[in-house]
Amino acid sequence: DVVLTQSPLSLPVTLGQPASISCRSSQSLVYSDGNTYLHWFQQRPGQSPRRLIYKISNRDSGVPDRFSGSGSGTDFTLKISRVEAEDIGVYYCMQSTHWPGTFGQGTKLEIK
Amino acid sequence: EVRLVESGGGLAKPGGSLRLSCAASGFSFSTRSMNWVRQAPGEGLEWVSFIGSSGNDIYYADSVRGRFTVSRDNAKNSLFLQINSLRAEDTAVYYCAREGKTTRSPSSWGQGTLVIVSS
């Protein structure tokens, strides 16, 4: 199975400051159709996961533009330009290029 | 509005069985692939199973293959997960999740149903 390694696993951030989460894959996530199926999810405390970003950099409907995704091949990044209180939670990357789909370990974002 | 409501979780004994259901509404269920994803207490997310829109394409995680069976009833807008030979490590919240169009990833999630396996 493809292993996704996130860093850091814990991310204390001051409100209004930027945050960045890395996701590295054990193998290339470029699919035969040319797409890269790397996605980002947010899970707020006590809630179900919510997809934020699909295929590296496409924001889902309703996701604030302070969230952005980038990367290619095996290295990917989720950035929050200015952290707000509602951003508290755990963030997961997920790949669905290779079966089975796999998730990273999660990065817990907390406010300093 | 997309709505996914899971049910059927509860306390079961090792070796026992449960059948989880997911009632879908707010979208054309018969045209969308569906997933089951689980989360053990305090742990991360684990993809469990995928079923295509017609039910012809089905995939399982290695950890559940042979014990779990996914199915759907498009006439009733419902998704199911039959769990047999339950193990302690199956204890988790099980989420039903709709596949996004062309994204190969869960775009909408239910609230989850908790399965506890304990003697």
Side-chain angles (χ1 to χ4, degrees):
Chain A
D1 295 358
V2 173
V3 176
L4 298 179
T5 302
Q6 291 184 226
S7 62
L9 298 184
S10 178
L11 184 54
V13 182
T14 301
L15 288 175
Q17 292 301 301
S20 180
I21 301 170
S22 169
C23 176
R24 290 186 171 171
S25 173
S26 60
Q27 55 186 283
S28 174
L29 297 184
V30 180
Y31 189 55
S32 55
D33 64 3
N35 287 304
T36 299
Y37 293 98
L38 186 284
H39 323 286
W40 290 95
F41 295 83
Q42 175 195 60
Q43 188 173 31
R44 291 170 171 152
Q47 295 189 12
S48 303
R50 165 200 183 195
R51 196 179 68 182
L52 298 176
I53 303 278
Y54 61 91
K55 292 193 289 186
I56 301 179
S57 59
N58 298 277
R59 268 191 308 276
D60 273 281
S61 176
V63 174
D65 61 7
R66 64 178 182 275
F67 289 92
S68 64
S70 63
S72 64
T74 59
D75 287 353
F76 305 91
T77 302
L78 175 71
K79 291 184 178 178
I80 309 174
S81 58
R82 294 173 305 279
V83 171
E84 298 189 4
E86 66 178 17
D87 299 336
I88 290 172
V90 181
Y91 291 79
Y92 297 92
C93 57
M94 178 207 174
Q95 69 80 26
S96 54
T97 294
H98 305 282
W99 287 104
T102 51
F103 291 88
Q105 321 96 298
T107 294
K108 185 173 184 179
L109 187 148
E110 56 186 19
I111 304 301
K112 277 185 185 174
Chain B
E1 179 195 0
V2 174
R3 193 154 187 248
L4 300 167
V5 180
E6 301 92 335
S7 60
L11 177 62
K13 289 182 167 35
S17 298
L18 281 174
R19 189 187 195 213
L20 308 185
S21 300
C22 172
S25 59
F27 66 101
S28 178
F29 180 74
S30 64
T31 66
R32 303 299 282 270
S33 300
M34 299 293 293
N35 296 273
W36 287 100
V37 179
R38 69 182 179 182
Q39 185 171 37
E43 301 294 325
L45 301 169
E46 179 188 17
W47 173 82
V48 171
S49 182
F50 166 96
I51 183 168
S53 58
S54 65
N56 289 340
D57 294 316
I58 289 177
Y59 301 94
Y60 298 101
D62 287 346
S63 57
V64 308
R65 188 176 295 113
R67 300 187 299 120
F68 288 20
T69 303
V70 64
S71 61
R72 63 191 296 161
D73 184 339
N74 285 344
K76 296 183 177 180
N77 293 338
S78 295
L79 176 71
F80 305 101
L81 187 68
Q82 177 69 39
I83 307 177
N84 297 330
S85 303
L86 277 161
R87 304 170 180 170
E89 55 264 36
D90 295 322
T91 294
V93 174
Y94 285 73
Y95 294 102
C96 157
R98 183 187 75 164
E99 188 93 335
K101 281 186 180 179
T102 75
T103 68
R104 293 167 59 106
S105 69
S107 59
S108 303
W109 298 61
Q111 87 289 345
T113 187
L114 176 61
V115 171
I116 299 174
V117 183
S118 174
S119 54

